Amino acid sequence: MFLWFNKKRFLLDRDDRERVTATIRTVESKTTGEVRVFVESRCAYMDAMDRAKELFFRLKMMHTERRNAVIIYLALDDHQFAIYGDENAFVQLGGAQFWQRAADILLQKLKEGKVAEGLVCCIEAVGQELATHFPFDPTVHKNELPDEIVFGK
C-alpha cells in the first residue's frame, strides 16, 4: 500500500483521461502485456493492495494468455494507490525492486498533485519493462483487455 499526502482533491478531466488511455495503447503496442487503471474515491479496504488484487480478479485480468497484466489502482479521497501484476509479470519484471521503482515514480507525481502525469509516467515505466520481457507477438491476441480507465465509486 502506498499513500500520498496532499489536501487537494485530484480529478482527471477528459484530456487527462484521453492522455492516460493513449499511453496505455502506446505501451501495449510494443508488448503482449496488458495495463489497466482503476480509479475510485475511497478504498473499500484498509489495504489498497488488497483492493487492487480484488479488482484485478473482478476485471478478469488473470485471463490474459501470457499472465502478464498489470493494474494501477488509485483511491483519490483516501490518498492510496497500489500496483499489482499477474504472476508472470511480477516475476519477470524484476520482483519487488521493480514494483517499488514504479510506485516511487507514481508517488512523486501524486505528491506534486500531478495525477495524470503520474499515471502516464508509471504506465510508461511498466510498459517499458513489459516490452522488454514480453515483446509484441502477433500470435497473441493484440488487445486482450480494454484500455480505458475504469472508474469506481
Side-chain angles (χ1 to χ4, degrees):
M1 174 176 65
F2 299 94
L3 303 173
W4 80 90
F5 302 95
N6 190 323
K7 301 266 186 227
K8 295 180 187 175
R9 176 168 166 79
F10 302 108
L11 299 174
L12 293 170
D13 63 23
R14 185 172 58 144
D15 289 341
D16 290 339
R17 291 189 308 268
E18 289 174 3
R19 185 172 159 214
V20 169
T21 301
T23 302
I24 292 170
R25 287 186 180 123
T26 298
V27 302
E28 287 183 356
S29 71
K30 301 169 188 162
T31 179
T32 58
E34 294 286 331
V35 178
R36 298 214 62 192
V37 173
F38 191 101
V39 178
E40 63 186 348
S41 297
R42 298 228 170 253
C43 182
Y45 305 118
M46 293 292 288
D47 184 4
M49 186 59 76
D50 289 342
R51 180 67 171 147
K53 288 177 189 176
E54 175 192 56
L55 293 166
F56 185 91
F57 290 101
R58 191 173 87 194
L59 296 171
K60 301 185 186 321
M61 294 178 67
M62 69 289 196
H63 293 303
T64 60
E65 185 174 328
R66 301 269 169 96
R67 298 295 304 261
N68 57 1
V70 175
I71 188 167
I72 301 169
Y73 168 74
L74 295 176
L76 297 177
D77 289 344
D78 289 338
H79 303 276
Q80 296 184 52
F81 74 94
I83 306 168
Y84 179 78
D86 206 343
E87 58 190 42
N88 282 344
F90 181 82
V91 172
Q92 293 295 319
L93 273 59
Q97 283 184 315
F98 167 75
W99 298 102
Q100 185 60 53
R101 283 194 315 271
D104 290 345
I105 290 168
L106 180 54
L107 179 60
Q108 183 58 45
K109 296 299 182 185
L110 293 174
K111 285 181 175 181
E112 296 170 7
K114 299 176 181 176
V115 177
E117 187 175 334
L119 286 170
V120 165
C121 291
C122 184
I123 292 164
E124 288 173 341
V126 168
Q128 182 176 5
E129 289 299 311
L130 284 170
T132 298
H133 299 286
F134 301 99
F136 174 74
D137 180 348
T139 66
V140 175
H141 185 271
K142 178 70 173 126
N143 194 9
E144 296 179 272
L145 300 171
D147 299 328
E148 292 74 23
I149 298 171
V150 180
F151 290 94
K153 296 178 188 177

